[in-house]
């Protein structure tokens, strides 16, 4: 209820805060103390990952030298449930003297912080989730929600896309889902291939040596089929006369393929849809290699 009630507490100050940050030539400095400082750190991380440059400044450290973090065009967001903590009371006049705009995120708009700030985002909660109504729980969640709301509005204004997100998250699983391509994975694997008239023994050797559980079957350079471990087991189960058997006799024609330049996440979806663990990779009709389910697991796509 407390979180859903935040919408009722919004004023024009929220829209003005979004516009102020969006139009700023500087960064966003987010500050707080105690549990609010931890929330400030998370809001900074969200801003940075969605295209709004931000820096965390601990309110206590600020009055002991870190105030130098704030540059001329920076906007300062100050987070405090009560808005009356001693460190905040010391810090706010110093920021105002430097002519930086201050946005307050506070549960008490009538507090010192609320009255001294240029814009106030009200995060009032009636009581904490803590049974003793002491430990910051509901109030810090409300602060976090307000920070996320600012970040989302700003990324929409900036037209922040999935490609931008991938640029800021190149090392994480989320980023990899947005930039990693099939060719990046298949190029790390061996490239099993046999011709259509290759003997069964050579087919088995090729599958075993390349260690991907499959081999492509080619007619010259053209991809015409696939032989998997499963195909070999089914052949033996049916008591085939293996004498004279070639790749074309046991292959599955028209194999499931994926383009070299497709996204790795598309390979995942295609494997899931067909219930398979490998896809042959092609480009303009030419066989390029294999992408395996294990490749996707290794990169955190699954």
């Amino acid at each position: 209820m407390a979180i859903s009630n935040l919408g009722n507490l919004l004023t024009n100050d929220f829209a003005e805060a979004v516009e102020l940050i969006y139009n700023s030539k500087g960064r966003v400095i987010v500050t707080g103390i105690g549990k609010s400082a931890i929330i400030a750190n998370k809001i900074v991380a969200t801003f940075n990952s969605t295209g709004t440059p931000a820096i965390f400044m601990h309110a206590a450290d600020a009055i002991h030298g870190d105030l130098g973090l704030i540059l001329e065009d920076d906007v300062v967001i100050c987070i405090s449930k009560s808005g009356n903590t001693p460190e905040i009371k010391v810090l706010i006049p110093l920021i105002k003297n430097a002519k930086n705009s201050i946005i307050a995120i506070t549960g008490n708009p009538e507090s010192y912080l609320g009255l001294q700030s240029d814009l106030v985002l009200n995060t009032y909660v009636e009581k904490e989730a803590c049974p003793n109504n002491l430990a910051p729980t509901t109030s810090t969640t409300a602060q976090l929600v307000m920070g996320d709301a600012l970040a989302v509005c700003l990324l929409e204004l900036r037209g922040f896309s999935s490609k931008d997100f991938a640029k800021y998250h190149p090392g994480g699983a989320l980023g990899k889902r947005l930039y990693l391509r099939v060719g990046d994975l298949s190029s790390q694997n061996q490239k099993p291939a046999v011709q259509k008239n290759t003997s069964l023994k050579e087919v088995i050797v090729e599958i075993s040596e390349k260690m991907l559980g499959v081999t492509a079957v080619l007619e010259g350079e053209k991809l015409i089929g696939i032989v998997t471990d499963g195909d070999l087991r089914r052949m033996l189960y049916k008591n085939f006369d293996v004498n004279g058997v070639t790749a074309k006799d046991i292959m599955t024609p028209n194999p499931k393929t994926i383009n070299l330049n497709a996204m790795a996440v598309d390979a995942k979806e295609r494997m899931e849809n067909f219930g398979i663990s490998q896809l042959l990779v092609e480009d303009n009709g030419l066989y390029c290699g294999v992408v395996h389910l294990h490749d996707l697991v290794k990169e955190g796509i699954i």
Side-chain angles (χ1 to χ4, degrees):
M1 288 294 293
I3 302 306
S4 61
N5 188 54
L6 287 178
N8 298 324
L9 301 179
L10 288 180
T11 66
N12 287 338
D13 279 18
F14 181 85
E16 291 181 23
V18 172
E19 290 291 338
L20 175 64
I21 296 171
Y22 178 71
N23 293 318
S24 171
K25 295 179 181 179
R27 308 154 303 170
V28 179
I29 309 297
V30 189
T31 188
I33 194 165
K35 302 299 187 296
S36 294
I38 297 172
I39 297 301
N41 257 309
K42 192 277 176 185
I43 292 173
V44 164
T46 302
F47 277 157
N48 283 326
S49 68
T50 53
T52 298
I55 294 177
F56 169 71
M57 180 183 70
H58 197 282
D61 292 337
I63 57 178
H64 293 285
D66 279 4
L67 199 62
L69 285 171
I70 305 176
L71 302 180
E72 181 179 355
D73 294 319
D74 291 343
V75 175
V76 178
I77 295 178
C78 189
I79 306 175
S80 173
K81 177 186 176 182
S82 70
N84 288 315
T85 56
E87 293 83 0
I88 296 298
K89 287 186 173 182
V90 173
L91 177 60
I92 293 305
L94 300 174
I95 298 173
K96 290 176 70 71
N97 286 342
K99 309 299 183 184
N100 293 93
S101 297
I102 302 173
I103 299 169
I105 297 181
T106 180
N108 183 7
E110 299 304 315
S111 64
Y112 180 84
L113 172 61
L115 295 175
Q116 294 297 316
S117 296
D118 299 287
L119 299 168
V120 179
L121 308 183
N122 189 353
T123 53
Y124 170 78
V125 297
E126 185 174 347
K127 62 177 296 185
E128 301 286 3
C130 165
N132 299 313
N133 195 28
L134 294 173
T137 46
T138 309
S139 61
T140 48
T141 302
Q143 293 168 354
L144 188 60
V145 168
M146 192 64 73
D148 284 346
L150 286 172
V152 170
C153 290
L154 286 163
L155 75 84
E156 289 183 352
L157 275 177
R158 298 185 197 284
F160 194 83
S161 68
S162 59
K163 290 183 179 179
D164 296 316
F165 188 85
K167 181 174 68 175
Y168 291 122
H169 297 76
L174 289 173
K176 287 181 180 180
R177 291 175 67 89
L178 296 168
Y179 80 82
L180 199 65
R181 297 187 180 274
V182 168
D184 299 325
L185 301 176
S186 63
S187 63
Q188 300 177 43
N189 294 331
Q190 298 191 70
K191 187 180 173 184
V194 297
Q195 291 295 314
K196 67 176 184 178
N197 294 320
T198 300
S199 70
L200 176 60
K201 178 181 178 180
E202 291 176 288
V203 170
I204 294 173
V205 169
E206 183 71 0
I207 292 175
S208 299
E209 287 185 345
K210 301 300 170 61
M211 299 184 295
L212 290 166
V214 298
T215 182
V217 181
L218 308 178
E219 185 173 16
E221 297 294 323
K222 182 182 178 183
L223 177 64
I224 61 170
I226 186 173
V227 179
T228 70
D229 283 336
D231 292 326
L232 296 176
R233 288 193 298 271
R234 284 186 288 272
M235 176 199 67
L236 295 173
Y237 182 76
K238 293 178 181 178
N239 295 316
F240 262 43
D241 180 2
V242 298
N243 293 320
V245 173
T246 62
K248 72 176 183 295
D249 298 321
I250 57 172
M251 75 179 189
T252 299
N254 303 314
K256 302 296 185 295
T257 63
I258 191 164
N259 188 269
L260 182 73
N261 295 312
M263 305 305 295
V265 69
D266 294 331
K268 167 186 172 291
E269 292 175 2
R270 193 161 174 77
M271 288 182 196
E272 289 176 345
N273 290 339
F274 290 109
I276 57 179
S277 56
Q278 308 101 336
L279 285 168
L280 299 185
V281 181
E282 56 83 27
D283 187 34
N284 294 323
L286 296 177
Y287 170 59
C288 300
V290 177
V291 60
H292 196 286
L293 184 68
H294 293 164
D295 302 324
L296 303 175
V297 173
K298 180 181 176 182
E299 295 294 339
I301 303 299
I302 295 178

